[in-house]
Amino acid sequence: MASDTITAEEIAKAAKVAFEESQLLPATVRIDALAKIKQQLEANKVEIFAANKLDMEAAQLEVDAGRISNAMMKRLDLGKGDKWDSMLKGVQDVADLPDPTGVVSYASQLDHDLELYRVSCPIGVLLVIFEARPEVVVNIAALAIKSGNAAILKGGKESNHTTHLLAKAISQGLAQTSLPSTYIQAIQTRAEVSALLDLDCYIDLVIPRGGNSLVKAIQNSTRIPVMGHADGLCHIYLDESANRQKAVRVVVDSKTDYPSACNAAETLIVHTSLLNTVWRDVAQALLTADVHLICDSHTLSALTSLPNVPERFSSHVHSSTESSYFVEHLDLTISVIALPSLHSAIQFINSHSSHHTDSIITESEPAASAFCRGVDSAGTFVNASTRFADGFRYGFGTEVGISTGRIHARGPVGLEGLVIYKYIMRSKAERGHTVGEFGVGEGKKSFKHAPIATTSVPF
């Protein structure tokens, strides 16, 4: 934990020094650190859950007062479902993954005894700012350690008690290794964040995880590169060839499995040919699952014209407005619109989505191909729930967040998204190599540029 008595600049400088010192340590040290952290988390489970209960009780008061949403409160609950076990498994899964550093992606012999390698390496010092979900502390710490990055972590004030103890367990685990104690640090206040955002001389990448307002505020407040996403406005499109059973299963799962997650479906697009068939079955399944439907005139009319109006129709079906299709509901609500073609659906998604994850339900290979090529999102799925957009489910162990950008990393950001590369050149010639030896003319040499078959630097 970062001390309350030191400044933000001292925290950042300590992180940079820790990062630089760690680069000379073997990769096995990082694996050992993850094992020690997992042990400390398990040993402190009772204390951590007691702290989480305090955060939940305080959050309920905030919900009752209308100051935070019920969806945010649910994100705080470390005991929900298998969240705790998944968090611990994520640490082990990350430890078991191949080392993402030191991997050669390009190797070339430029001349006799002159070799060039492009080698993966850590980014440096990460500043990760997130809201609500306390388990993110552990997820990010595991990924940072495995990928060789130092990290400074700031959780939401709603989870202060929990994140404090999680960070303490991480520090206790690190103390049992040769990694510097300041390799992973946690901070508590917004003032520290504001100060750190000015320190581009020490911090190499900012990763915000949270709502639109948080991410936009970070992006507008720093010169440091920012990687993240502002919204999770995910779509499902029911193509004209959609299978009824697949449509019902995938849509219901995408909306109800974890409604407050950024990869939950928020808008359903229905091909107009399905209004009196598949759409009615999907609508009934959603209503049965207690989902509110915000419908355009076409999808609404298809329901009102039924001989027997679906149960919950009067309480759960509402008319949409143009703004309904820009809303990240984060609860059991979904906006619905009917469109006449695949092309119009693709256009609608590209102009309304947050470029996170979108899915098509179809039996047509050409339609599936066109959707995946045409939709400009980090994830484009066919007949699969948007909830699969997750680093753990992708096999990344866990994730530091979802990136909807187009530079460096996109989609769930795991280990590979936390490394960059450097070029290593080595001359084995007796007198070394100089650029003046190469060129056009008498006595000049030409470059060989001959590929070298290797995946690691041979020294």
Side-chain angles (χ1 to χ4, degrees):
M1 291 290 293
S3 170
D4 293 335
T5 62
I6 64 176
T7 66
E9 184 170 3
E10 289 171 329
I11 292 170
K13 187 174 182 179
K16 177 63 82 173
V17 171
F19 166 71
E20 292 171 351
E21 291 178 356
S22 73
Q23 298 309 291
L24 300 179
L25 297 173
T28 52
V29 171
R30 305 201 298 269
I31 297 173
D32 181 53
L34 293 177
K36 293 291 193 288
I37 288 170
K38 184 171 179 284
Q39 290 170 7
Q40 287 299 316
L41 289 168
E42 291 170 331
N44 290 279
K45 179 179 178 180
V46 173
E47 187 180 4
I48 292 168
F49 269 62
N52 189 237
K53 183 180 179 182
L54 292 177
D55 286 331
M56 291 292 292
E57 290 171 349
Q60 184 62 63
L61 296 176
E62 294 296 298
V63 170
D64 294 342
R67 287 188 286 267
I68 69 170
S69 68
N70 193 57
M72 177 173 283
M73 186 187 75
K74 290 179 180 178
R75 292 179 177 182
L76 290 172
D77 190 358
L78 203 55
K80 178 180 173 63
D82 62 352
K83 188 181 287 189
W84 173 263
D85 292 336
S86 293
M87 181 188 76
L88 294 180
K89 187 175 187 305
V91 175
Q92 186 60 55
D93 288 346
V94 169
D96 293 340
L97 289 170
D99 184 0
T101 65
V103 177
V104 173
S105 56
Y106 175 84
S108 177
Q109 184 181 41
L110 306 187
D111 185 37
H112 181 66
D113 284 339
L114 181 62
E115 299 169 347
L116 176 68
Y117 299 90
R118 183 170 63 208
V119 187
S120 62
C121 61
I123 291 172
V125 177
L126 313 177
L127 171 59
V128 188
I129 305 159
F130 52 94
E131 293 178 334
R133 291 190 181 97
E135 73 274 14
V136 172
V137 173
V138 177
N139 296 344
I140 295 170
L143 288 168
I145 291 167
K146 178 72 177 190
S147 59
N149 293 285
I152 302 169
L153 311 178
K154 167 66 172 74
K157 63 181 180 180
E158 300 82 9
S159 62
N160 269 352
H161 292 96
T162 313
T163 55
H164 175 80
L165 289 188
L166 290 172
K168 182 180 177 181
I170 291 168
S171 295
Q172 291 170 339
L174 286 175
Q176 300 175 48
T177 74
S178 53
L179 281 172
S181 60
T182 52
Y183 198 66
I184 303 293
Q185 300 177 80
I187 58 175
Q188 294 279 321
T189 69
R190 290 184 178 181
E192 289 172 313
V193 172
S194 297
L196 289 169
L197 290 174
D198 288 331
L199 299 177
D200 54 328
C201 54
Y202 299 121
I203 296 171
D204 300 291
L205 182 67
V206 181
I207 306 175
R209 284 189 61 167
N212 195 338
S213 58
L214 169 71
V215 178
K216 292 297 184 185
I218 298 299
Q219 291 172 333
N220 294 330
S221 303
T222 186
R223 297 184 300 272
I224 305 169
V226 177
M227 179 171 67
H229 72 279
D231 291 297
L233 199 53
C234 303
H235 296 69
I236 296 181
Y237 169 57
L238 303 184
D239 181 51
E240 59 184 324
S241 67
N243 174 276
R244 187 186 309 258
Q245 183 182 34
K246 289 179 185 177
V248 169
R249 280 170 44 81
V250 173
V251 172
V252 171
D253 183 81
S254 297
K255 181 67 263 185
T256 67
D257 179 69
Y258 193 172
S260 61
C262 65
N263 56 10
E266 302 291 11
T267 298
L268 175 63
I269 303 171
V270 181
H271 191 280
T272 51
S273 68
L274 304 181
L275 286 173
N276 296 320
T277 54
V278 176
W279 158 235
R280 289 175 171 175
D281 290 337
V282 170
Q284 183 62 69
L286 288 168
L287 291 172
T288 300
D290 201 27
V291 177
H292 288 251
L293 310 178
I294 313 297
C295 298
D296 73 336
S297 59
H298 300 291
T299 54
L300 182 60
S301 176
L303 299 182
T304 57
S305 62
L306 281 169
N308 298 309
V309 176
E311 187 180 353
R312 291 179 172 163
F313 179 88
S314 60
S315 60
H316 283 56
V317 180
H318 318 277
S319 295
S320 66
T321 64
E322 187 175 339
S323 64
S324 301
Y325 304 103
F326 292 98
V327 177
E328 187 181 18
H329 300 291
L330 299 176
D331 58 19
L332 289 174
T333 304
I334 192 166
S335 302
V336 190
I337 189 171
L339 293 174
S341 67
L342 170 63
H343 179 68
S344 61
I346 291 172
Q347 287 186 320
F348 184 92
I349 292 171
N350 286 339
S351 61
H352 290 78
S353 83
S354 60
H355 309 291
H356 188 298
T357 302
D358 303 289
S359 183
I360 182 175
I361 311 301
T362 185
E363 296 302 300
S364 166
E365 286 296 320
S369 177
F371 182 89
C372 290
R373 294 197 318 271
V375 170
D376 181 22
S377 292
T380 50
F381 296 173
V382 179
N383 296 329
S385 170
T386 58
R387 288 280 292 129
F388 279 108
D390 173 83
F392 176 77
R393 296 183 179 105
Y394 280 13
F396 299 167
T398 183
E399 67 185 32
V400 73
I402 304 280
S403 173
T404 54
R406 293 166 177 79
I407 298 175
H408 179 63
R410 202 176 193 199
V413 180
L415 292 176
E416 290 185 0
L418 294 180
V419 295
I420 189 65
Y421 54 80
K422 64 173 68 174
Y423 286 94
I424 296 177
M425 184 178 290
R426 184 188 191 189
S427 171
K428 295 185 286 186
E430 184 177 344
R431 298 190 303 154
H433 274 83
T434 64
V435 168
E437 302 172 47
F438 299 87
V440 178
E442 186 176 351
K444 298 288 186 178
K445 296 192 292 185
S446 298
F447 289 105
K448 287 186 175 183
H449 292 146
I452 300 173
T454 183
T455 57
S456 61
V457 181
F459 59 89

